[in-house]
Amino acid sequence: MALSGLPHADAATPDVALFSYGTLRLPAVQLDTFGRLLAGEPDVLPGFTTDYLEIEDARVTGVSGRDVHPIVRRTGNQLDKVVGVLLWITEAELEAADEYEVEQYNRVSVTLRSGRDAWVYVAR
């Protein structure tokens, strides 16, 4: 599954699709994690529902300002959905997002309602 959306992109081109439904949408988290604010396009993740997770990592709660974060779980039911935004980031920024997310999250590839393929962090 190809997750790059732009042809002939170099390492600094934001060509990696990341679906966010939670704290990666917060300006403070984006500035700390990516060093910049990201523009997002509304999209929907079908076949998942939102749950909540208590975060114990002080660094993550310090950046987000929250000790409870949303987390999505696959249901397989196409009537279930999670509303969020599609963010375009670089490969290096994807690695930074991996560092930000705590161990209860797992990055997987999904197809959004728009038909675009994207990475998303889901419950392990």
Side-chain angles (χ1 to χ4, degrees):
M1 179 178 289
L3 295 178
S4 293
L6 303 176
H8 309 295
D10 63 40
T13 301
D15 64 344
V16 176
L18 177 65
F19 181 76
S20 177
Y21 53 85
T23 61
L24 286 174
R25 297 185 300 177
L26 299 174
V29 172
Q30 289 183 3
L31 288 172
D32 186 76
T33 305
F34 308 120
R36 66 185 181 102
L37 294 176
L38 306 175
E41 304 169 37
D43 214 326
V44 175
L45 176 61
F48 286 79
T49 60
T50 305
D51 200 351
Y52 294 90
L53 175 69
E54 187 170 345
I55 303 296
E56 297 177 4
D57 185 313
R59 182 188 147 2
V60 173
T61 60
V63 171
S64 71
R66 302 173 182 181
D67 60 358
V68 175
H69 290 197
I71 190 167
V72 297
R73 299 182 190 284
R74 184 183 305 270
T75 66
N77 182 342
Q78 293 302 302
L79 296 178
D80 291 331
K81 66 181 179 184
V82 175
V83 176
V85 295
L86 181 65
L87 304 171
W88 291 100
I89 60 175
T90 66
E91 286 289 338
E93 289 170 334
L94 183 60
E95 290 176 17
D98 287 345
E99 289 296 317
Y100 169 77
E101 296 294 354
V102 297
E103 68 183 30
Q104 291 90 342
Y105 290 86
N106 184 42
R107 179 166 48 95
V108 299
S109 175
V110 295
T111 300
L112 302 174
R113 183 173 288 162
S114 66
R116 290 185 167 150
D117 295 328
W119 292 112
V120 65
Y121 293 97
V122 302
R124 286 197 183 269

PDB file of all heavy atoms in Angstrom, residues 18-38:
ATOM      1  N   LEU A  18      -1.068  11.058   7.264  1.00  0.00           N
ATOM      2  CA  LEU A  18      -1.304  10.617   8.637  1.00  0.00           C
ATOM      3  C   LEU A  18      -2.702  11.078   9.050  1.00  0.00           C
ATOM      4  O   LEU A  18      -3.004  12.274   9.003  1.00  0.00           O
ATOM      5  CB  LEU A  18      -0.261  11.205   9.585  1.00  0.00           C
ATOM      6  CG  LEU A  18      -0.433  10.889  11.070  1.00  0.00           C
ATOM      7  CD1 LEU A  18      -0.257   9.388  11.334  1.00  0.00           C
ATOM      8  CD2 LEU A  18       0.559  11.696  11.902  1.00  0.00           C
ATOM      9  N   PHE A  19      -3.555  10.135   9.441  1.00  0.00           N
ATOM     10  CA  PHE A  19      -4.898  10.471   9.918  1.00  0.00           C
ATOM     11  C   PHE A  19      -4.826  10.712  11.417  1.00  0.00           C
ATOM     12  O   PHE A  19      -4.340   9.868  12.172  1.00  0.00           O
ATOM     13  CB  PHE A  19      -5.879   9.344   9.617  1.00  0.00           C
ATOM     14  CG  PHE A  19      -7.278   9.637  10.071  1.00  0.00           C
ATOM     15  CD1 PHE A  19      -8.089  10.507   9.369  1.00  0.00           C
ATOM     16  CD2 PHE A  19      -7.796   9.044  11.218  1.00  0.00           C
ATOM     17  CE1 PHE A  19      -9.385  10.785   9.790  1.00  0.00           C
ATOM     18  CE2 PHE A  19      -9.085   9.300  11.648  1.00  0.00           C
ATOM     19  CZ  PHE A  19      -9.883  10.176  10.931  1.00  0.00           C
ATOM     20  N   SER A  20      -5.306  11.873  11.850  1.00  0.00           N
ATOM     21  CA  SER A  20      -5.301  12.209  13.271  1.00  0.00           C
ATOM     22  C   SER A  20      -6.718  12.465  13.754  1.00  0.00           C
ATOM     23  O   SER A  20      -7.500  13.161  13.110  1.00  0.00           O
ATOM     24  CB  SER A  20      -4.447  13.446  13.530  1.00  0.00           C
ATOM     25  OG  SER A  20      -4.521  13.797  14.904  1.00  0.00           O
ATOM     26  N   TYR A  21      -7.023  11.921  14.914  1.00  0.00           N
ATOM     27  CA  TYR A  21      -8.337  12.077  15.540  1.00  0.00           C
ATOM     28  C   TYR A  21      -8.184  12.623  16.960  1.00  0.00           C
ATOM     29  O   TYR A  21      -9.162  12.802  17.660  1.00  0.00           O
ATOM     30  CB  TYR A  21      -9.056  10.720  15.600  1.00  0.00           C
ATOM     31  CG  TYR A  21      -8.201   9.664  16.263  1.00  0.00           C
ATOM     32  CD1 TYR A  21      -8.179   9.518  17.639  1.00  0.00           C
ATOM     33  CD2 TYR A  21      -7.363   8.853  15.504  1.00  0.00           C
ATOM     34  CE1 TYR A  21      -7.361   8.577  18.256  1.00  0.00           C
ATOM     35  CE2 TYR A  21      -6.547   7.908  16.102  1.00  0.00           C
ATOM     36  CZ  TYR A  21      -6.547   7.778  17.475  1.00  0.00           C
ATOM     37  OH  TYR A  21      -5.728   6.865  18.066  1.00  0.00           O
ATOM     38  N   GLY A  22      -6.950  12.860  17.393  1.00  0.00           N
ATOM     39  CA  GLY A  22      -6.718  13.219  18.791  1.00  0.00           C
ATOM     40  C   GLY A  22      -5.708  14.336  18.959  1.00  0.00           C
ATOM     41  O   GLY A  22      -5.769  15.352  18.272  1.00  0.00           O
ATOM     42  N   THR A  23      -4.751  14.110  19.859  1.00  0.00           N
ATOM     43  CA  THR A  23      -3.865  15.191  20.288  1.00  0.00           C
ATOM     44  C   THR A  23      -2.891  15.654  19.219  1.00  0.00           C
ATOM     45  O   THR A  23      -2.360  16.759  19.329  1.00  0.00           O
ATOM     46  CB  THR A  23      -3.089  14.796  21.561  1.00  0.00           C
ATOM     47  OG1 THR A  23      -2.289  13.649  21.291  1.00  0.00           O
ATOM     48  CG2 THR A  23      -4.046  14.531  22.716  1.00  0.00           C
ATOM     49  N   LEU A  24      -2.635  14.871  18.184  1.00  0.00           N
ATOM     50  CA  LEU A  24      -1.758  15.345  17.102  1.00  0.00           C
ATOM     51  C   LEU A  24      -2.396  16.493  16.327  1.00  0.00           C
ATOM     52  O   LEU A  24      -1.735  17.130  15.517  1.00  0.00           O
ATOM     53  CB  LEU A  24      -1.379  14.206  16.153  1.00  0.00           C
ATOM     54  CG  LEU A  24      -0.361  13.213  16.697  1.00  0.00           C
ATOM     55  CD1 LEU A  24      -0.176  12.058  15.727  1.00  0.00           C
ATOM     56  CD2 LEU A  24       0.979  13.885  16.986  1.00  0.00           C
ATOM     57  N   ARG A  25      -3.648  16.790  16.602  1.00  0.00           N
ATOM     58  CA  ARG A  25      -4.312  17.955  15.984  1.00  0.00           C
ATOM     59  C   ARG A  25      -4.075  19.232  16.789  1.00  0.00           C
ATOM     60  O   ARG A  25      -4.357  20.323  16.299  1.00  0.00           O
ATOM     61  CB  ARG A  25      -5.814  17.706  15.852  1.00  0.00           C
ATOM     62  CG  ARG A  25      -6.137  16.547  14.938  1.00  0.00           C
ATOM     63  CD  ARG A  25      -7.613  16.372  14.712  1.00  0.00           C
ATOM     64  NE  ARG A  25      -8.315  16.131  15.959  1.00  0.00           N
ATOM     65  CZ  ARG A  25      -9.613  15.990  16.081  1.00  0.00           C
ATOM     66  NH1 ARG A  25     -10.387  16.089  15.012  1.00  0.00           N
ATOM     67  NH2 ARG A  25     -10.177  15.757  17.242  1.00  0.00           N
ATOM     68  N   LEU A  26      -3.587  19.098  18.034  1.00  0.00           N
ATOM     69  CA  LEU A  26      -3.394  20.267  18.899  1.00  0.00           C
ATOM     70  C   LEU A  26      -2.175  21.072  18.466  1.00  0.00           C
ATOM     71  O   LEU A  26      -1.105  20.505  18.250  1.00  0.00           O
ATOM     72  CB  LEU A  26      -3.218  19.823  20.350  1.00  0.00           C
ATOM     73  CG  LEU A  26      -4.377  19.063  20.991  1.00  0.00           C
ATOM     74  CD1 LEU A  26      -3.976  18.566  22.375  1.00  0.00           C
ATOM     75  CD2 LEU A  26      -5.604  19.952  21.058  1.00  0.00           C
ATOM     76  N   PRO A  27      -2.299  22.402  18.376  1.00  0.00           N
ATOM     77  CA  PRO A  27      -1.159  23.223  17.979  1.00  0.00           C
ATOM     78  C   PRO A  27       0.092  23.002  18.836  1.00  0.00           C
ATOM     79  O   PRO A  27       1.200  22.902  18.301  1.00  0.00           O
ATOM     80  CB  PRO A  27      -1.683  24.661  18.107  1.00  0.00           C
ATOM     81  CG  PRO A  27      -3.161  24.523  17.885  1.00  0.00           C
ATOM     82  CD  PRO A  27      -3.523  23.207  18.522  1.00  0.00           C
ATOM     83  N   ALA A  28      -0.057  22.909  20.158  1.00  0.00           N
ATOM     84  CA  ALA A  28       1.109  22.723  21.036  1.00  0.00           C
ATOM     85  C   ALA A  28       1.810  21.403  20.745  1.00  0.00           C
ATOM     86  O   ALA A  28       3.046  21.326  20.744  1.00  0.00           O
ATOM     87  CB  ALA A  28       0.690  22.785  22.501  1.00  0.00           C
ATOM     88  N   VAL A  29       1.041  20.356  20.469  1.00  0.00           N
ATOM     89  CA  VAL A  29       1.620  19.045  20.163  1.00  0.00           C
ATOM     90  C   VAL A  29       2.310  19.088  18.796  1.00  0.00           C
ATOM     91  O   VAL A  29       3.407  18.556  18.627  1.00  0.00           O
ATOM     92  CB  VAL A  29       0.543  17.941  20.226  1.00  0.00           C
ATOM     93  CG1 VAL A  29       1.093  16.615  19.731  1.00  0.00           C
ATOM     94  CG2 VAL A  29       0.017  17.803  21.651  1.00  0.00           C
ATOM     95  N   GLN A  30       1.685  19.725  17.824  1.00  0.00           N
ATOM     96  CA  GLN A  30       2.304  19.834  16.500  1.00  0.00           C
ATOM     97  C   GLN A  30       3.613  20.607  16.564  1.00  0.00           C
ATOM     98  O   GLN A  30       4.617  20.186  15.979  1.00  0.00           O
ATOM     99  CB  GLN A  30       1.347  20.497  15.519  1.00  0.00           C
ATOM    100  CG  GLN A  30       0.175  19.623  15.149  1.00  0.00           C
ATOM    101  CD  GLN A  30      -0.732  20.261  14.129  1.00  0.00           C
ATOM    102  OE1 GLN A  30      -0.489  21.359  13.624  1.00  0.00           O
ATOM    103  NE2 GLN A  30      -1.823  19.570  13.799  1.00  0.00           N
ATOM    104  N   LEU A  31       3.630  21.726  17.275  1.00  0.00           N
ATOM    105  CA  LEU A  31       4.860  22.515  17.375  1.00  0.00           C
ATOM    106  C   LEU A  31       5.967  21.738  18.074  1.00  0.00           C
ATOM    107  O   LEU A  31       7.124  21.759  17.643  1.00  0.00           O
ATOM    108  CB  LEU A  31       4.588  23.840  18.085  1.00  0.00           C
ATOM    109  CG  LEU A  31       3.785  24.859  17.280  1.00  0.00           C
ATOM    110  CD1 LEU A  31       3.403  26.048  18.154  1.00  0.00           C
ATOM    111  CD2 LEU A  31       4.569  25.315  16.054  1.00  0.00           C
ATOM    112  N   ASP A  32       5.619  21.015  19.136  1.00  0.00           N
ATOM    113  CA  ASP A  32       6.621  20.253  19.870  1.00  0.00           C
ATOM    114  C   ASP A  32       7.098  19.040  19.069  1.00  0.00           C
ATOM    115  O   ASP A  32       8.278  18.728  19.059  1.00  0.00           O
ATOM    116  CB  ASP A  32       6.047  19.788  21.215  1.00  0.00           C
ATOM    117  CG  ASP A  32       7.096  19.109  22.070  1.00  0.00           C
ATOM    118  OD1 ASP A  32       7.933  19.823  22.651  1.00  0.00           O
ATOM    119  OD2 ASP A  32       7.096  17.858  22.133  1.00  0.00           O
ATOM    120  N   THR A  33       6.187  18.365  18.400  1.00  0.00           N
ATOM    121  CA  THR A  33       6.508  17.126  17.698  1.00  0.00           C
ATOM    122  C   THR A  33       7.106  17.360  16.316  1.00  0.00           C
ATOM    123  O   THR A  33       8.067  16.694  15.929  1.00  0.00           O
ATOM    124  CB  THR A  33       5.244  16.243  17.568  1.00  0.00           C
ATOM    125  OG1 THR A  33       4.694  16.049  18.880  1.00  0.00           O
ATOM    126  CG2 THR A  33       5.560  14.895  16.938  1.00  0.00           C
ATOM    127  N   PHE A  34       6.549  18.322  15.572  1.00  0.00           N
ATOM    128  CA  PHE A  34       6.944  18.538  14.187  1.00  0.00           C
ATOM    129  C   PHE A  34       7.701  19.843  13.960  1.00  0.00           C
ATOM    130  O   PHE A  34       8.262  20.053  12.893  1.00  0.00           O
ATOM    131  CB  PHE A  34       5.714  18.526  13.276  1.00  0.00           C
ATOM    132  CG  PHE A  34       4.847  17.309  13.454  1.00  0.00           C
ATOM    133  CD1 PHE A  34       3.525  17.433  13.843  1.00  0.00           C
ATOM    134  CD2 PHE A  34       5.347  16.035  13.235  1.00  0.00           C
ATOM    135  CE1 PHE A  34       2.716  16.312  14.008  1.00  0.00           C
ATOM    136  CE2 PHE A  34       4.551  14.915  13.396  1.00  0.00           C
ATOM    137  CZ  PHE A  34       3.225  15.050  13.781  1.00  0.00           C
ATOM    138  N   GLY A  35       7.649  20.746  14.939  1.00  0.00           N
ATOM    139  CA  GLY A  35       8.311  22.036  14.777  1.00  0.00           C
ATOM    140  C   GLY A  35       7.556  22.999  13.888  1.00  0.00           C
ATOM    141  O   GLY A  35       8.071  24.036  13.495  1.00  0.00           O
ATOM    142  N   ARG A  36       6.313  22.656  13.574  1.00  0.00           N
ATOM    143  CA  ARG A  36       5.489  23.519  12.715  1.00  0.00           C
ATOM    144  C   ARG A  36       4.025  23.151  12.907  1.00  0.00           C
ATOM    145  O   ARG A  36       3.709  22.084  13.435  1.00  0.00           O
ATOM    146  CB  ARG A  36       5.873  23.370  11.245  1.00  0.00           C
ATOM    147  CG  ARG A  36       5.569  21.992  10.664  1.00  0.00           C
ATOM    148  CD  ARG A  36       6.088  21.838   9.225  1.00  0.00           C
ATOM    149  NE  ARG A  36       5.778  20.528   8.687  1.00  0.00           N
ATOM    150  CZ  ARG A  36       4.792  20.277   7.839  1.00  0.00           C
ATOM    151  NH1 ARG A  36       3.989  21.250   7.431  1.00  0.00           N
ATOM    152  NH2 ARG A  36       4.576  19.047   7.384  1.00  0.00           N
ATOM    153  N   LEU A  37       3.153  24.060  12.486  1.00  0.00           N
ATOM    154  CA  LEU A  37       1.718  23.775  12.502  1.00  0.00           C
ATOM    155  C   LEU A  37       1.340  23.125  11.180  1.00  0.00           C
ATOM    156  O   LEU A  37       1.854  23.501  10.126  1.00  0.00           O
ATOM    157  CB  LEU A  37       0.910  25.055  12.705  1.00  0.00           C
ATOM    158  CG  LEU A  37       1.094  25.726  14.065  1.00  0.00           C
ATOM    159  CD1 LEU A  37       0.323  27.043  14.121  1.00  0.00           C
ATOM    160  CD2 LEU A  37       0.653  24.805  15.185  1.00  0.00           C
ATOM    161  N   LEU A  38       0.444  22.153  11.235  1.00  0.00           N
ATOM    162  CA  LEU A  38       0.025  21.417  10.047  1.00  0.00           C
ATOM    163  C   LEU A  38      -1.389  21.802   9.653  1.00  0.00           C
ATOM    164  O   LEU A  38      -2.243  21.998  10.511  1.00  0.00           O
ATOM    165  CB  LEU A  38       0.060  19.916  10.332  1.00  0.00           C
ATOM    166  CG  LEU A  38       1.370  19.349  10.866  1.00  0.00           C
ATOM    167  CD1 LEU A  38       1.196  17.876  11.200  1.00  0.00           C
ATOM    168  CD2 LEU A  38       2.495  19.545   9.872  1.00  0.00           C
TER     169      LEU A  38
END
